[in-house]
Amino acid sequence: MEEELRVRLNDHQPSKIFPVKPKSTPKTLSKPETPDSRYWSSFKPHSIPNLVSSISAVAFSPIHPHSFAVAHSTTVSLFSSNTLTTSRRFSFKDVVSSVSFRSDGALLAASDLSGTVQVFDVKERMALRSLRSHKAAARFVKYPVHDKLHLVSGGDDGVVKYWDVAGGTVISDLIGHKDYVRCGDCSPVNDSMFATGSYDHTIKVWDARVGNSKWIAEINHGAPVEDIVYLPSGGMIATAGLNSVKVWDLIGGGRMVCSMESHNKTVTCLSVGRMGLEGENRIVSCSLDGYMKVFDYGRGKVTYSMRFPAPLMSVGISPDSSVRVVGGSNGMVFAGKKKKKARDDEEKKKASVVTSFWSVKSEVDESRRRALRPSYFRYFQRGQSEKPSKDDYLVKESKGVKLTRHDKLLKKFRHKEALVSVLEEKKPADVVAVMEELVARRKIVKCVSNLEEGELGLLLGFLQRYCTVERYSKLLMALTKKVLETRGEEINGKEEFKGILRNLKREVNQEIKIQQSLLEIQGVIAPLMRIAGR
Amino acid sequence: MPINKDPSTPPPVIGKIGPYTVFMTPPATPKPPESPAAVSQKPNLPPPVLPPPQQFKSVASSEQDGSVLGFFKNAATKVQNAHSSVDDHLVRWFGLNQSKYQWALDEYYEGKGSKNRKKQEEGFRAFKRTKFCASASFYPEPPSASPSTLAAMIRGGRSHLTSPPSFSNDAKKLLVCTGNTVSVFSAATGLQITSLEGHTAPVTTLLVVPASTAAQKILSYCWTASLDGMIRYWDFSGPELLKTVDAKVPIYSMVIPSLLSEPQQVDSSKLVAYVSVEDASLVKEGSKELRGHIRRFDLAKERLSRGDTLKETEEPKSIVISPSGEFFGIRHKCKIHVWGVPSGGGSRNAVAKKMTLHHTKVINAFAFHPTERIIAAGDVTGRVLIWRGFGNRKLALGSQKKSVRSVVDLDNPGVRDGDDAESCTTWHWHSAEVNVLNFSSDGAYLYSGGREGVLVVWQLDTGKKKFLPRIGSPLLYFIWSPEPTLSSVVCADNQIHLLKMPSMEISRTISGIKVLCVFGFQPPPSLPKMYEGLSSTVAFDRSSGIAALCTENYCVQLYNLLNDRGISEVQVCERNHQPGDEITVVVTAVALSLDGSVMSTTEVKLPEDGIGGLVSLKFWESEPDNKTFTLSTIVYEPHKDAGVSAIAFHPTRSMAVSTSFGGDFKIWVCNSDKSQTDKDSSWICHAVGSYKKKPMTAAAFSGDGTVLAVAAENVITLWNPDKNILLSVLGATLTPITKLCFVGKSEFLVAASNFPKPELSVWNTSKLSLSWSYELRIEAVTSAVDSSTFAVLALVPKSFRKSKSKKNIFRGRDGAILLFNGSDPKPVSIWTVMKAQGGSISFLEGDKSQLRLAYVNGSHEYVVFDPNSDDTHERSAIGYEGLVGDEETGDFGYTSLYGQLPDYDKKRKDDAESLATPFVSSERPWETIFSGSTLNFPPLQKLCGEFFESLMEKSNSVVE
């Protein structure tokens, strides 16, 4: 019986009401969004302008709330990652090349091009130590991941220095690089291991415990090394040189795992970012070509790429992966911040506490609602929102076609009003669809001649805006011509139409120019293709 | 993407290919222009000296397309011109003097011999035309495939429109006049149950004998009258012919008043009918005699005397009778003539009294009120006039009516010319002529309808209106059934809609094959005349025998030719069709893939005053096993502004080609292979090609799909569809080619061109040469997939038909189907057909054993036959055996309104039965008589006899 009823209900004729529909637009053939692209595009962009000169380095504090230091020109600015505003500034005598936080986030080390490495107290804004030993510009300084007492720095003199911060003395000079040392990173698993990269194309891995100032491993990148980063496992490093990023297996004897060469210009900075708190790690690289790319080194694939309006100098991802900071060469910091879910949860908790005062009442309500029986009067006053109970048989009503205002007017053959009403809605696709329907009814000319002054202005404004849009131009160009022909006198007389007409003329001229240049390009290409065909 | 363009085409223009497609600009990868090297790349170079092909037409040798092939062609033509005078084969066929079929033709026509039949038909057609004025012709001339090799044949596509249908007394069946037969449909399922066959000319009148009491409701008798001059009396439950009366003159309309006025005494011996006949004796060419006669006819005497003539008109008129049986009348220009039926039935002297009502406009339809003296009439301007109290003076019936005042009352409002009526009121809603007028059975409402395709219900007392809009086609008839919840409306597009009454919903549709009336449609003015009628509006699914036809209301109707039944309609364009409006959107072409799973349609939106206008190409896909097509891809402006001239599908893969007048063709492929889900499948452009910027007019894939032939005006270009490489060019015909078809798996290619010089040419693609050609105007070409036979539908030139010696042979047939075999220029078989203009043919090869040829003519009637068999046996399109079982018992009357009453008797009955069973032996033979569908019941008389017989048998057995 149920089956039969359903068959009967579905048997009726299809609706014969056809609302005016805009032409369907082509579906994009691009792949659906990947988790990577979803994650990396979910940072809400927030740019910080007005910093002097290029952003040479970015460093995040390892301690919550993970404020970050941005080195630009002779200044290091400390930003709060919640508000993305600057809170403190540290001044130097020369251009700052690198910054690094200590593991407890209390101290900050920075190197400048005069060769000095300075250590600051973050809270007191005080220079605690000034370490001078480099004979040329110092290029990088790094605190070991857990060690609070030592520092690693390197510079244009080709020497890597291992510092005792408290005493302000060099423990060991590690000599081996034949050119400028530009970058280095400390192992996340062993506080005495660190790797440095140099313009002599090599990456050298050092161990501070080995006394003879000899590297324990050497890797040739094949290009001047710009940046180096340890991957979280501690067994692998990623290096950037020229436009390639290479991943090396240190434990496996310096074997290259994979390489990524999708940047067009020199890769300036690398960083490791985690997708969420439990997600996989990715290498984030930025380059002078203005692209930030996310590299999945597990699969050897670039999973996301984002373009910025300036050459990029530095990149940093906060340890809780809620903030991403990219520094440009023009003094812009392109920060991006994820919305914090944790805080949302907290707020929710608070809200629930507030509502719990009222929950007693709502429970009462619910019990009452459940108790509705045909014996109550209110049973018969149930509204549409009433949910069906389990054993109710649901009769589905066929949904009527929803008609918009212009559809209703078209149905009543009030063509001009339909046109005006759709023009007011400012949806160009709908307007063109209504116009096409009017053409099919042979009424568009009459509509145009019947338009009153204000409505004519509306139509002219629409035509001016959209008549050169490729999708609509075939219809709208002809219509524009018709409007100008039939209503020419009225349009000429009015002051307010002058601007529209002027714009219209400009648009058309521009379009003609574009067509002209396209034809020229075609003329250039055609003989080439012909030759290629031969 | 392989793209190859002819070098002479200018560089490709960056334009849109259409949504759903990847934007592609066809880069030209040209071949050296017109150099001999290009020709030498061709796989098969033609031998330098060709045997001169048989060529009927003298080919003008000025054609020089610069190619080597063209040079060869021209050389060959010159040789031919010297030799060829008249083609022997064609003379044989056209002359038919020495033809082996001549004897058969002669014999056939002598046997038929009825000379005036054609005139009758013509007369009837004129009669119908004056009645409807709507569309080209509703008259079912079955596409008579004549003579010698008449095969096992299925005819169908008969019009449902020639005369009003009628419900049976129990409202479970609907009787419809379909050509020479009357078809009986089930009102519950909409399927055909049976048909009454016997008339030899179209049936014009159908009268179901009404039931006066509830018990008589199962009675199913009817009278039919036909143009063959016969009046027949049927029992349509059987069906069984009970009686035949020969009136000897073609009957156009018939009423039997006593059936309605005195239903109790249905005594067929005393019945008197009034008939509208055409007196054939008076019909002469150009005479102004009054041919149409309204006569009284005594069905018992079987004689129609001239003395009984009531009225003479120029043409036969249809008679309208009042539901009470008291009056009948005809409309004649601006007048309605009404006669009162003399009471007392059979008395010979009683002459019907007559009165006339006048109007200023031509009256199109009128109806009598069932109880009161009210006449409603609709005129050509759309007005509905209501005369109340007509004929109180002139048609006073019997003695009791004498008391009615006989004083002439001059202040009768609205009544003209002192007509005998109390008042006349006018209602005006319809914008065009009124074709349908009918009172409801209780007389409270008046139904009217006309050109607009809107059924209007007027409340008779107040004039308030209710509407059933968007029927989509001009209405022709409205009839109500004995059941108050059911009525039926017949539309000009061959559809019968069954209406659920109080709400006026269309509950079911009996759809005939849709009539195409493209009156008023002009192809876009940009197209030269030679391209008219180029794209086909009929496509065939060869395996299942389904035809897809473009219809007026922006649909494609899928019609099963083998079952003569409409399957479904696909709304191609989301618009409602308003009959009578200017046509602005036309579905111009439809094509089906070989397996019938993909359909492609094109539609053209015509611009207004140069504004707008759009050509779009749509691809539809259907699930396997059900013919519901869903839209897969829309391509707007597939060839920029230019119209699509032809669509062809690849025989095996999902690939299609569309050609355009704009000078290019596009190959479309379905990308469903790549994506796993079916929903994402869409058709994208695979390649674009053009040849010297010539308009592309036709396309065809070869049987194995490796070669694509595209006609570029008057040359045929052969392409590799995958790589889009021009393989070769077949030399020039004189005129643009409109049809292309590969002959099965053989190497032959058939090309047809129409304007200005018609030509049918067959090319050998392996030798790249012309095999033979005829000067014939071809409407359609088809070829069988597996064999090398192909068939063409040719229009026979008028001048040829009219010549005296052949007039007898063609007799109104304007076309011929010629069946050829491979390269042989002699046709294997010839059939002459009617209404070939706009017709279409196709081979159907559902089961491999049988090859059948389907022909659909210009007015969408069709015939399916086996071209190879000599069997003259004809069968109707419907296997009744299969359909009777489909009968569905619906609820009617009280139950349909209020539902089934709980059956209180049932339990008692059950008890009785359980009591009875011990005594009743299970093999009582008479029980089997009543088993089975009620529709299969034999008539009562038969049943009684059988029943009693069986009882007697039983008593015998007891005695033993």
Side-chain angles (χ1 to χ4, degrees):
Chain A
M1 177 66 201
E2 218 168 86
E3 278 298 319
E4 193 183 310
L5 190 61
R6 205 165 301 145
V7 169
R8 289 264 171 89
L9 286 171
N10 293 338
D11 208 9
H12 61 79
Q13 291 242 326
S15 161
K16 288 266 225 165
I17 299 164
F18 302 116
V20 171
K21 264 191 239 159
K23 276 189 213 164
S24 34
T25 47
K27 276 183 233 156
T28 50
L29 285 171
S30 65
K31 293 261 167 61
E33 214 178 29
T34 58
D36 266 72
S37 63
R38 203 177 312 130
Y39 177 82
W40 290 106
S41 58
S42 68
F43 287 94
K44 194 182 169 196
H46 182 278
S47 57
I48 304 159
N50 301 332
L51 299 182
V52 188
S53 184
S54 75
I55 313 295
S56 51
V58 174
F60 275 91
S61 160
I63 301 296
H64 192 81
H66 305 298
S67 56
F68 59 93
V70 172
H72 55 101
S73 184
T74 59
T75 319
V76 172
S77 304
L78 205 61
F79 286 84
S80 143
S81 45
N82 281 337
T83 56
L84 299 179
T85 50
T86 176
S87 52
R88 286 190 178 82
R89 275 165 189 267
F90 306 91
S91 307
F92 292 80
K93 287 188 189 115
D94 209 334
V95 175
V96 181
S97 58
S98 172
V99 281
S100 177
F101 277 96
R102 201 169 74 168
S103 59
D104 58 358
L107 298 186
L108 175 86
S111 61
D112 64 22
L113 295 190
S114 67
T116 317
V117 175
Q118 282 181 293
V119 179
F120 288 87
D121 187 324
V122 172
K123 283 203 178 126
E124 305 292 321
R125 254 184 66 193
M126 210 160 60
L128 297 179
R129 292 287 183 277
S130 188
L131 311 173
R132 288 165 216 269
S133 173
H134 280 293
K135 294 190 177 67
R139 286 294 177 179
F140 89 92
V141 63
K142 214 82 185 179
Y143 261 107
V145 174
H146 300 296
D147 185 3
K148 292 179 181 170
L149 304 174
H150 300 97
L151 263 179
V152 180
S153 72
D156 286 356
D157 53 1
V159 183
V160 178
K161 290 178 189 288
Y162 189 64
W163 297 87
D164 172 28
V165 180
T169 54
V170 178
I171 295 174
S172 53
D173 280 333
L174 305 169
I175 300 162
H177 281 296
K178 297 187 184 80
D179 208 334
Y180 300 166
V181 176
R182 299 291 290 197
C183 54
D185 197 16
C186 298
S187 164
V189 289
N190 190 333
D191 280 339
S192 55
M193 299 262 286
F194 46 90
T196 56
S198 154
Y199 273 9
D200 62 0
H201 298 195
T202 60
I203 295 106
K204 289 187 162 55
V205 183
W206 312 86
D207 192 338
R209 293 166 294 189
V210 178
N212 59 358
S213 93
K214 186 84 179 155
W215 62 91
I216 54 168
E218 191 190 40
I219 295 163
N220 194 344
H221 183 93
V225 181
E226 288 288 348
D227 201 7
I228 179 168
V229 70
Y230 261 99
L231 299 182
S233 64
M236 300 213 284
I237 55 169
T239 59
L242 232 54
N243 58 355
S244 65
V245 175
K246 292 179 179 173
V247 180
W248 309 89
D249 184 359
L250 285 182
I251 296 165
R255 187 174 55 90
M256 191 174 82
V257 177
C258 55
S259 129
M260 182 265 276
E261 293 184 17
S262 67
H263 283 289
N264 292 326
K265 288 186 179 171
T266 305
V267 180
T268 51
C269 190
L270 294 177
S271 176
V272 174
R274 204 154 36 141
M275 289 175 55
L277 289 173
E278 284 90 33
E280 293 174 45
N281 287 307
R282 299 277 187 270
I283 296 169
V284 182
S285 63
C286 66
S287 150
L288 291 179
D289 61 3
Y291 277 95
M292 180 195 89
K293 302 217 176 202
V294 177
F295 182 58
D296 181 353
Y297 55 90
R299 286 177 292 166
K301 250 188 188 172
V302 175
T303 52
Y304 183 72
S305 123
M306 187 173 177
R307 204 200 139 97
F308 291 92
L312 304 182
M313 299 302 291
S314 52
V315 64
I317 312 285
S318 78
D320 62 353
S321 49
S322 65
V323 183
R324 139 182 83 56
V325 180
V326 178
S329 67
N330 58 354
M332 289 279 283
V333 172
F334 307 100
K337 196 163 166 273
K338 260 192 138 34
K339 277 176 195 162
K340 270 196 181 154
K341 275 180 189 164
R343 199 200 284 163
D344 290 352
D345 291 347
E346 264 176 43
E347 275 174 3
K348 263 182 204 166
K349 261 181 205 168
K350 273 184 198 167
S352 68
V353 170
V354 173
T355 49
S356 65
F357 288 112
W358 306 97
S359 62
V360 182
K361 202 195 165 194
S362 70
E363 263 170 36
V364 171
D365 272 354
E366 209 134 52
S367 65
R368 257 197 197 163
R369 220 177 287 144
R370 241 177 263 133
L372 271 184
R373 293 274 177 277
S375 50
Y376 287 98
F377 177 62
R378 271 177 47 236
Y379 174 85
F380 299 100
Q381 287 190 316
R382 293 166 307 164
Q384 278 186 318
S385 55
E386 181 73 15
K387 294 258 162 39
S389 67
K390 255 184 197 169
D391 19 300
D392 284 348
Y393 178 74
L394 277 180
V395 179
K396 288 241 171 64
E397 206 175 324
S398 62
K399 264 192 182 170
V401 184
K402 202 182 174 193
L403 291 180
T404 51
R405 194 155 155 255
H406 55 261
D407 273 325
K408 281 177 195 155
L409 289 167
L410 280 175
K411 222 176 135 193
K412 290 174 188 158
F413 304 99
R414 287 156 69 179
H415 297 124
K416 190 198 81 175
E417 286 150 70
L419 182 62
V420 171
S421 92
V422 78
L423 279 172
E424 281 163 355
E425 273 169 35
K426 300 205 164 102
K427 285 179 193 156
D430 283 0
V431 177
V432 172
V434 168
M435 284 173 176
E436 274 170 359
E437 175 65 22
L438 291 176
V439 166
R441 296 187 183 191
R442 294 286 180 266
K443 286 289 181 294
I444 190 113
V445 176
K446 200 159 220 178
C447 274
V448 167
S449 59
N450 283 347
L451 284 177
E452 280 158 32
E453 207 169 274
E455 298 159 351
L456 190 61
L458 205 60
L459 177 64
L460 279 175
F462 174 81
L463 289 176
Q464 176 252 311
R465 207 167 308 146
Y466 293 106
C467 73
T468 53
V469 176
E470 189 264 346
R471 248 184 303 167
Y472 314 132
S473 61
K474 193 190 163 205
L475 174 75
L476 293 187
M477 277 297 185
L479 181 64
T480 310
K481 205 175 154 213
K482 193 88 213 167
V483 171
L484 295 180
E485 262 172 27
T486 51
R487 308 295 298 266
E489 289 164 21
E490 290 139 87
I491 293 168
N492 270 340
K494 290 285 174 282
E495 201 58 39
E496 60 260 38
F497 293 153
K498 269 189 182 165
I500 296 175
L501 277 185
R502 201 171 48 236
N503 289 345
L504 189 64
K505 206 172 168 186
R506 198 189 55 221
E507 292 276 331
V508 172
N509 280 332
Q510 205 172 342
E511 184 64 25
I512 289 171
K513 264 182 206 158
I514 291 170
Q515 296 282 350
Q516 196 79 37
S517 56
L518 281 177
L519 280 176
E520 280 166 14
I521 293 169
Q522 221 174 62
V524 172
I525 292 173
L528 293 177
M529 296 301 289
R530 204 163 282 196
I531 293 162
R534 228 170 256 165
Chain B
M1 181 190 64
I3 285 205
N4 211 325
K5 286 192 83 177
D6 187 83
S8 64
T9 55
V13 181
I14 296 173
K16 59 177 163 185
I17 287 168
Y20 292 96
T21 64
V22 184
F23 183 88
M24 291 190 301
T25 317
T29 47
K31 298 188 162 237
E34 286 124 52
S35 69
V39 181
S40 68
Q41 284 172 4
K42 287 166 195 165
N44 298 311
L45 194 70
V49 180
L50 292 174
Q54 279 163 338
Q55 175 85 2
F56 179 70
K57 247 324 284 170
S58 64
V59 182
S61 57
S62 60
E63 289 291 310
Q64 181 69 271
D65 66 348
S67 73
V68 173
L69 201 71
F71 172 75
F72 280 135
K73 167 80 161 58
N74 288 338
T77 325
K78 276 175 195 160
V79 177
Q80 287 160 26
N81 285 346
H83 290 283
S84 68
S85 48
V86 188
D87 186 2
D88 178 40
H89 302 297
L90 204 68
V91 165
R92 200 181 295 165
W93 174 62
F94 271 157
L96 285 170
N97 293 328
Q98 309 94 358
S99 163
K100 57 174 176 173
Y101 309 113
Q102 179 57 38
W103 61 272
L105 286 171
D106 290 345
E107 202 172 64
Y108 178 76
Y109 290 118
E110 272 163 29
K112 283 272 170 184
S114 62
K115 239 188 171 183
N116 54 357
R117 196 182 133 198
K118 187 182 157 205
K119 285 171 189 166
Q120 289 165 14
E121 286 171 358
E122 271 172 8
F124 183 65
R125 216 174 310 156
F127 165 74
K128 279 298 163 194
R129 204 169 289 144
T130 52
K131 181 159 196 301
F132 310 127
C133 308
S135 122
S137 162
F138 303 119
Y139 168 53
E141 279 174 302
S144 25
S146 84
S148 60
T149 53
L150 198 65
M153 204 160 78
I154 298 172
R155 275 186 194 177
R158 282 159 195 158
S159 163
H160 295 152
L161 317 169
T162 48
S163 51
S166 185
F167 277 103
S168 68
N169 283 322
D170 54 2
K172 282 181 182 168
K173 295 176 197 172
L174 182 68
L175 286 78
V176 182
C177 299
T178 49
N180 297 356
T181 61
V182 174
S183 301
V184 183
F185 289 93
S186 157
T189 60
L191 300 177
Q192 190 170 359
I193 302 165
T194 179
S195 75
L196 313 179
E197 289 166 11
H199 284 290
T200 54
V203 179
T204 53
T205 309
L206 175 67
L207 298 172
V208 174
V209 177
S212 54
T213 60
Q216 284 180 330
K217 284 213 167 183
I218 54 158
L219 291 183
S220 49
Y221 299 103
C222 69
W223 290 90
T224 59
S226 160
L227 289 185
D228 60 2
M230 294 292 184
I231 299 171
R232 288 173 196 259
Y233 186 53
W234 306 81
D235 179 354
F236 58 82
S237 66
E240 198 178 3
L241 176 62
L242 301 176
K243 190 178 173 184
T244 305
V245 182
D246 192 358
K248 296 188 181 67
V249 279
I251 299 166
Y252 284 82
S253 183
M254 175 178 80
V255 292
I256 306 176
S258 51
L259 286 182
L260 299 163
S261 55
E262 306 149 25
Q264 284 85 3
Q265 342 167 337
V266 181
D267 183 0
S268 64
S269 63
K270 279 189 181 174
L271 285 179
V272 173
Y274 292 88
V275 290
S276 168
V277 298
E278 181 184 43
D279 199 334
S281 61
L282 291 171
V283 180
K284 284 170 207 150
E285 293 290 328
S287 76
K288 296 215 169 177
E289 289 284 345
L290 303 175
R291 292 186 289 137
H293 291 198
I294 307 293
R295 291 184 189 170
R296 185 174 180 276
F297 182 52
D298 199 334
L299 290 175
K301 293 187 179 165
E302 299 200 9
R303 209 168 54 82
L304 196 64
S305 64
R306 289 204 70 184
D308 288 339
T309 302
L310 300 175
K311 174 81 185 166
E312 295 184 356
T313 54
E314 296 84 32
E315 283 164 345
K317 297 286 181 188
S318 67
I319 310 176
V320 178
I321 190 162
S322 71
S324 60
E326 286 177 84
F327 311 101
F328 64 91
I330 59 166
R331 62 197 164 75
H332 182 223
K333 287 176 183 166
C334 305
K335 288 175 286 211
I336 297 175
H337 302 291
V338 181
W339 289 270
V341 176
S343 54
S347 63
R348 180 106 213 293
N349 338 346
V351 178
K353 291 174 189 167
K354 178 190 165 191
M355 62 160 285
T356 305
L357 294 168
H358 295 83
H359 183 45
T360 51
K361 302 275 172 5
V362 174
I363 291 170
N364 241 13
F366 75 104
F368 289 96
H369 192 276
T371 49
E372 291 167 54
R373 291 193 163 207
I374 298 177
I375 285 183
D379 68 10
V380 285
T381 60
R383 289 181 177 81
V384 176
L385 298 108
I386 313 269
W387 281 284
R388 290 168 198 271
F390 69 90
N392 280 340
R393 299 192 302 272
K394 292 182 184 168
L395 301 182
L397 295 178
S399 54
Q400 81 273 20
K401 296 283 167 76
K402 287 272 163 65
S403 57
V404 176
R405 65 204 159 128
S406 56
V407 191
V408 177
D409 199 351
L410 285 175
D411 56 337
N412 289 350
V415 179
R416 281 172 198 285
D417 302 341
D419 283 347
D420 186 8
E422 279 171 13
S423 69
C424 178
T425 49
T426 306
W427 289 336
H428 197 173
W429 182 87
H430 294 279
S431 59
E433 78 240 16
V434 179
N435 287 333
V436 174
L437 269 180
N438 209 339
F439 285 96
S440 65
S441 53
D442 58 353
Y445 298 96
L446 174 68
Y447 299 94
S448 72
R451 268 273 287 285
E452 315 89 353
V454 179
L455 181 66
V456 186
V457 187
W458 307 81
Q459 203 174 3
L460 200 59
D461 293 335
T462 59
K464 278 180 186 164
K465 301 180 286 285
K466 242 177 87 182
F467 305 99
L468 173 61
R470 301 189 198 100
I471 296 174
S473 184
L475 306 185
L476 293 183
Y477 311 105
F478 172 85
I479 55 158
W480 37 267
S481 73
E483 195 61 53
T485 58
L486 185 69
S487 62
S488 164
V489 64
V490 181
C491 294
D493 60 356
N494 217 352
Q495 311 278 304
I496 302 175
H497 301 294
L498 297 173
L499 304 183
K500 205 172 154 190
M501 226 22 226
S503 56
M504 292 214 297
E505 285 166 27
I506 294 177
S507 65
R508 203 168 285 282
T509 300
I510 299 170
S511 65
I513 197 161
K514 282 209 176 182
V515 187
L516 186 75
C517 7
V518 277
F519 58 93
F521 167 60
Q522 301 293 324
S526 60
L527 298 185
K529 203 192 165 206
M530 59 183 81
Y531 302 130
E532 268 179 35
L534 205 127
S535 47
S536 61
T537 54
V538 183
F540 296 90
D541 177 1
R542 293 177 165 218
S543 50
S544 56
I546 287 171
L549 309 111
C550 298
T551 64
E552 238 184 347
N553 54 347
Y554 321 121
C555 287
V556 166
Q557 188 192 23
L558 298 170
Y559 198 84
N560 192 333
L561 298 179
L562 303 177
N563 287 348
D564 195 10
R565 194 192 305 166
I567 297 171
S568 61
E569 265 181 37
V570 180
Q571 187 86 36
V572 172
C573 194
E574 292 204 327
R575 297 179 59 79
N576 279 308
H577 175 59
Q578 185 58 38
D581 275 5
E582 189 185 352
I583 291 173
T584 57
V585 181
V586 193
V587 180
T588 52
V590 61
L592 277 173
S593 67
L594 202 68
D595 58 348
S597 65
V598 186
M599 180 171 77
S600 176
T601 59
T602 57
E603 71 207 47
V604 178
K605 290 185 181 169
L606 303 177
E608 178 194 4
D609 212 356
I611 303 171
L614 182 72
V615 181
S616 36
L617 173 72
K618 289 181 178 174
F619 290 96
W620 306 78
E621 279 169 6
S622 75
E623 299 291 314
D625 305 331
N626 72 350
K627 286 290 164 198
T628 49
F629 282 94
T630 49
L631 185 60
S632 155
T633 307
I634 311 176
V635 185
Y636 298 112
E637 300 183 322
H639 299 278
K640 291 187 215 128
D641 291 349
V644 175
S645 55
I647 314 168
F649 276 96
H650 193 280
T652 50
R653 288 168 32 204
S654 48
M655 179 187 267
V657 62
S658 66
T659 61
S660 92
F661 303 115
D664 61 342
F665 69 88
K666 285 186 180 172
I667 297 175
W668 308 87
V669 291
C670 186
N671 65 356
S672 63
D673 319 331
K674 292 166 200 163
S675 61
Q676 284 78 18
T677 50
D678 282 346
K679 279 177 191 170
D680 296 342
S681 79
S682 64
W683 289 73
I684 59 170
C685 184
H686 168 68
V688 185
S690 70
Y691 183 77
K692 295 189 184 180
K693 263 222 144 172
K694 284 184 179 177
M696 301 285 192
T697 46
F701 280 98
S702 68
D704 53 355
T706 52
V707 180
L708 167 68
V710 180
E713 225 162 17
N714 50 4
V715 296
I716 304 168
T717 54
L718 300 179
W719 302 77
N720 179 337
D722 289 316
K723 296 179 181 160
N724 201 29
I725 298 168
L726 182 64
L727 299 175
S728 61
V729 180
L730 288 178
T733 58
L734 287 173
T735 52
I737 293 164
T738 54
K739 298 271 188 310
L740 272 181
C741 183
F742 276 93
V743 179
K745 294 220 157 95
S746 68
E747 72 266 29
F748 294 102
L749 174 67
V750 188
S753 45
N754 280 351
F755 189 85
K757 285 276 185 182
E759 185 177 358
L760 168 71
S761 49
V762 173
W763 301 78
N764 189 329
T765 52
S766 62
K767 291 179 186 163
L768 297 176
S769 63
L770 183 69
S771 293
W772 49 269
S773 75
Y774 281 139
E775 184 180 352
L776 275 179
R777 195 191 146 106
I778 301 299
E779 277 291 311
V781 187
T782 182
S783 76
V785 169
D786 292 326
S787 63
S788 60
T789 54
F790 68 95
V792 297
L793 174 63
L795 287 187
V796 181
K798 209 172 237 172
S799 55
F800 181 77
R801 260 182 306 167
K802 285 285 153 65
S803 70
K804 277 193 178 168
S805 57
K806 294 122 194 164
K807 203 171 179 182
N808 205 17
I809 299 167
F810 282 101
R811 290 196 332 124
R813 300 195 170 89
D814 58 351
I817 299 174
L818 312 176
L819 186 72
F820 292 96
N821 198 351
S823 61
D824 189 6
K826 285 182 208 165
V828 179
S829 314
I830 299 171
W831 302 268
T832 56
V833 291
M834 279 172 168
K835 293 192 207 164
Q837 183 99 41
S840 182
I841 52 173
S842 173
F843 281 104
L844 303 180
E845 36 218 338
D847 37 356
K848 294 284 173 192
S849 59
Q850 202 185 11
L851 182 74
R852 283 184 287 192
L853 191 61
Y855 163 58
V856 177
N857 75 4
S859 31
H860 285 186
E861 295 135 12
Y862 68 85
V863 59
V864 179
F865 58 96
D866 183 353
N868 298 322
S869 118
D870 285 340
D871 193 4
T872 53
H873 151 77
E874 177 186 346
R875 73 179 182 88
S876 179
I878 296 124
Y880 297 118
E881 303 78 22
L883 292 184
V884 174
D886 292 345
E887 179 71 5
E888 183 186 297
T889 48
D891 289 340
F892 284 99
Y894 181 82
T895 48
S896 71
L897 285 175
Y898 304 108
Q900 202 92 37
L901 280 175
D903 199 348
Y904 295 115
D905 284 343
K906 205 178 175 185
K907 206 179 171 194
R908 216 178 301 156
K909 254 190 223 163
D910 287 349
D911 289 347
E913 248 172 39
S914 62
L915 276 175
T917 37
F919 304 106
V920 179
S921 69
S922 57
E923 69 261 19
R924 278 203 290 185
W926 57 270
E927 272 197 336
T928 55
I929 301 169
F930 296 103
S931 65
S933 168
T934 48
L935 289 162
N936 290 334
F937 269 14
L940 256 181
Q941 297 97 312
K942 276 192 188 172
L943 262 183
C944 270
E946 230 169 303
F947 178 61
F948 281 119
E949 210 173 318
S950 68
L951 280 182
M952 282 163 76
E953 269 174 11
K954 194 197 166 204
S955 64
N956 281 345
S957 68
V958 166
V959 168
E960 278 167 21

